[in-house]
Amino acid sequence: MIEEARLPLLIVDSKGRIIFANKWLKKCMGYIRLEFLNNNLQNLCAPYEQNRYIFSCLPDIKRTTEVDIDLQQKNGEIFTANVSFAPFDYRQARHLLIIVRDVTSRRIREVKIREDEERYHRLLVERNMLQDQLHRSSKVAFMGELAAGIAHEINNPLGIILGFVQDILDEIPLNDPLIEPIKIIEQETARCVNVVKNLLDFARLKPPERIPVDIVELLESSIVLMTPRIKKNKVSIKRDFDMEPPSIKVDPQLVQQVFLNIMINAIQAMPDTGVLAFGIGIASKAQLHKPGDWIQITISDTGIGISEKDIHRVFDPFFTTKGSKGTGLGLSVCQRIMEDHKGKIEIENLKGAGTICSLYFPIKD
Ligand SMILES: Nc1ncnc2c1ncn2[C@@H]1O[C@H](COP(=O)(O)OP(=O)(O)OP(=O)(O)O)[C@@H](O)[C@H]1O
Ligand SMILES: [Mg+2]
């Protein structure tokens, strides 16, 4: 009956020695009867399957157990089978009836379903990212137009006010009681000029004019520009440059603006002493959603850090925690410049204290 069964069947003893195989099994494995007998069950498996745990506990199998195993036909071809081990006693010795079902097509289906699910998940993440980007871009474009309009209107009057105030300050004697209020007018007007300049920078961001640039040199020259502020806040500088990066094509003026904005934020976060650290390396980041190598520049500080509730908003135009001292445009300008360079900017809190800002520039573009 077993011989005629339309399923590949075999019987093994408790050591896994084959004592019977029906003709279906011979047919599906490509062996002749003699090649089966006294052979070991493990030898029917693909080489990488021969040490499976199940083979070491055959005598202990108490009830029918099923496992998927890759079997190897005589011609070397491998197929996945669902193998069930049904124990029974024969002449007072433990034996196992083994039924083999080819499940290659089921496995292929399962793998395909898994792949489809992964692809769907990836597409979903990408779609959400694009949606975010679109939302941000339209918001930024609107803000930009608005800002440009306002800034343009008030730029000239502000310049005129500042000019007159400075003239008055030059003219009036130092002991005049009006000198203090006029100095305040000068300071506050200068601050407005700065806000307007930031607005115009933001609104008038030009597309990058890329040329080959030594990014380390550009970073070093930006650090030099920051020296007065660095000294004023008693900040020390640390460099951790793993390697000399290849030259890349960027717009040096715009990228310098990115370095400066990030450094200004870092220095502002450390009003009295701290460490401003720079790192350069190569990153192959899968999470950047585009394969390939990137130059990664990190700028970190040991300052006040960013609260959990704010960290998701720091790239929003006009988001600031600095009250009237900030316009909240620094990081949105950086993000736009990095996107225009097909790069990326990220900011995170550091474990101890402070933040780390990472810039990624594509090496090949
Ligand atoms: N290194 C940092 N440490 C702590 N907080 C930071 C840091 N960098 C950015 N932030 C937070 O992100 C906010 C937005 O930064 P962003 O540079 O865009 O604007 P801002 O510095 O407030 O104003 P602006 O740069 O226009 O003068 C900041 O107000 C601050 O709360
Ligand atoms: Mg800033």
Side-chain angles (χ1 to χ4, degrees), residues 263-280:
M263 279 190 247
I264 292 171
N265 281 347
I267 296 166
Q268 285 172 340
M270 301 183 287
D272 23 54
T273 103
V275 181
L276 180 61
F278 299 91
I280 294 185

Side-chain angles (χ1 to χ4, degrees), residues 2 17 40 61 87 104 116 118 142 148 150 155 157 162 170 183 186 194-195 238 242-243 266-267 278 292 295 364:
I2 291 180
R17 213 155 36 98
N40 201 291
I61 295 178
T104 309
D116 283 352
E118 279 168 15
F142 170 72
I150 299 171
N155 200 24
L162 197 60
D170 288 344
K183 268 193 176 162
E186 188 211 16
N194 194 37
V195 170
K238 221 172 90 183
D242 276 357
M243 39 77 78
I267 296 166
F278 299 91
I295 293 180
K364 286 192 199 98

Side-chain angles (χ1 to χ4, degrees), residues 265-266 269 301 305-306 314 319-322 326-331 347 355:
N265 281 347
D301 62 70
I306 306 172
V314 294
F319 174 78
T320 181
T321 55
K322 297 174 190 168
T327 55
L329 289 174
L331 286 180
I347 190 160
T355 61

Side-chain angles (χ1 to χ4, degrees), residues 147-163 189-201 204:
I150 299 171
H152 190 255
E153 284 306 305
I154 57 178
N155 200 24
N156 291 343
L158 277 180
I160 295 168
I161 296 172
L162 197 60
T189 314
R191 197 160 65 76
C192 290
V193 170
N194 194 37
V195 170
V196 169
K197 185 190 151 295
N198 281 351
L199 282 175
L200 284 174
D201 276 355
R204 283 195 200 137

Side-chain angles (χ1 to χ4, degrees), residues 72-137:
Q72 188 165 27
Q73 293 172 336
K74 192 178 174 186
N75 66 7
E77 217 165 279
I78 289 173
F79 67 98
T80 305
N82 175 269
V83 182
S84 67
F85 298 76
F88 67 96
D89 290 326
Y90 174 64
R91 290 187 180 160
Q92 284 161 358
R94 176 51 54 98
H95 287 74
L96 295 139
L97 170 69
I98 292 178
I99 307 171
V100 176
R101 292 184 195 88
D102 184 348
V103 290
T104 309
S105 54
R106 190 195 81 197
R107 268 295 185 81
I108 290 172
R109 259 200 323 276
E110 280 171 0
V111 169
K112 187 154 177 346
I113 289 173
R114 225 180 5 256
E115 278 173 4
D116 283 352
E117 275 173 1
E118 279 168 15
R119 202 157 53 94
Y120 172 72
H121 183 71
R122 260 200 323 273
L123 287 174
L124 207 64
V125 171
E126 251 164 54
R127 193 201 67 170
N128 289 346
M129 264 181 39
L130 285 174
Q131 242 171 10
D132 270 7
Q133 220 168 353
L134 188 68
H135 177 72
R136 215 177 48 236
S137 306

